[in-house]
């Protein structure tokens, strides 16, 4: 029998993220919120953050909502509403800044996928620190996927589905952010094992 994290404190945060992203898609305000390098350089700094929550189209949103649900299934019980909000907000800022600083060829960018790569890396580290061997498999698997994306480039099929180029460098930035968020977990894990 599946032991799903169905308590409200585990369900509410990812559900809010799905509702927020869906509401923004329904409003159709991408032009006001997307990562637009030219407008950011003119001072519209909110786009570094808000771009993570808008999507190229409904298929793009659907893929990211599926990712939110998958991460909830894997790691929902690890986060409180405050921890979930902190991780999402921190990674959203990190990814926006990372794309701005390290991906000069990206002029327009939207979507949660970079943030979700960070969240799943953080969850894999948490798995490892609570003694789940599957955390190692997940951690390594995500990095293998990221390396494959760096070598082979973005998926043309996914790009066609979302009517946009998949920002594989943003995925890498998100995963690095998730690993950095996991550093306190690793430090605590190491110090606990030394006792």
């Amino acid at each position: 029998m599946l032991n799903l994290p169905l308590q409200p404190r585990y369900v509410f945060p990812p559900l809010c993220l799905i509702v927020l992203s869906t509401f923004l898609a329904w409003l159709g305000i991408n032009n006001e919120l997307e990562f637009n390098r030219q407008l950011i350089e003119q001072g519209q700094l909110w786009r570094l953050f808000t771009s993570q929550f808008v999507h190229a189209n409904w298929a793009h949103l659907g893929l990211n909502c599926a990712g939110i649900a998958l991460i909830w299934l894997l790691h929902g019980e690890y986060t409180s509403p405050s921890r979930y909000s902190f991780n999402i907000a921190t990674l959203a800022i990190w990814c926006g800044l990372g794309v701005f600083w390290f991906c000069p060829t990206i002029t327009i960018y939207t979507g949660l996928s970079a943030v979700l790569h960070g969240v799943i890396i953080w969850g894999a580290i948490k798995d490892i620190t609570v003694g789940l061997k599957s955390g190692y498999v997940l951690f390594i698997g995500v990095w293998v996927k990221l390396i494959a994306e760096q070598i082979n480039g973005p998926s043309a099929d996914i790009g066609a589905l979302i009517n946009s180029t998949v920002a594989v460098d943003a995925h890498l930035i998100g995963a690095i952010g998730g690993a950095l968020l996991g550093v306190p977990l690793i430090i605590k894990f190491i110090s606990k094992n030394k006792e």
Side-chain angles (χ1 to χ4, degrees):
M1 183 174 155
L2 289 174
N3 187 16
L4 298 177
L6 295 174
Q7 295 88 343
R9 70 181 182 272
Y10 302 139
V11 173
F12 188 67
L15 187 60
C16 284
L17 184 56
I18 289 170
V19 169
L20 170 66
S21 295
T22 303
F23 182 66
L24 293 175
W26 177 76
L27 288 175
I29 56 174
N30 275 24
N31 288 340
E32 290 77 20
L33 301 179
E34 70 190 2
F35 179 103
N36 181 315
R37 183 171 296 278
Q38 182 180 3
L39 295 177
I40 291 167
E41 288 171 349
Q42 293 172 9
Q44 295 185 15
L45 299 180
W46 68 83
R47 292 172 179 274
L48 295 168
F49 181 78
T50 59
S51 58
Q52 311 303 311
F53 306 100
V54 293
H55 293 82
N57 59 24
W58 288 102
H60 189 199
L61 173 64
L63 287 173
N64 281 325
C65 287
I68 294 168
L70 174 65
I71 292 167
W72 167 76
L73 286 170
L74 291 171
H75 303 130
E77 74 280 3
Y78 292 151
T79 59
S80 63
S82 59
R83 177 86 237 183
Y84 192 91
S85 300
F86 176 81
N87 284 0
I88 295 296
T90 302
L91 287 166
I93 293 166
W94 169 268
C95 292
L97 288 171
V99 169
F100 186 76
W101 287 331
F102 301 114
C103 305
T105 60
I106 296 179
T107 56
I108 302 291
Y109 170 79
T110 60
L112 270 167
S113 58
V115 170
L116 295 180
H117 278 76
V119 173
I120 202 159
I121 287 292
W122 182 88
I125 292 169
K126 183 69 175 176
D127 276 345
I128 293 165
T129 63
V130 299
L132 294 175
K133 303 294 185 210
S134 59
Y136 293 101
V137 174
L138 182 59
F139 186 85
I140 292 167
V142 172
W143 287 105
V144 167
K145 173 201 176 281
L146 291 166
I147 291 167
E149 285 181 340
Q150 290 296 311
I151 293 169
N152 301 320
S155 165
D157 292 337
I158 299 294
L161 180 65
I162 68 171
N163 195 29
S164 183
T165 302
V166 178
V168 296
D169 291 339
H171 294 174
L172 180 60
I173 289 166
I176 292 168
L180 291 173
L181 276 180
V183 167
L185 298 174
I186 296 166
I187 291 170
K188 185 176 178 182
F189 177 70
I190 291 169
S191 63
K192 185 178 178 182
N193 286 336
K194 282 184 177 178
E195 294 174 358

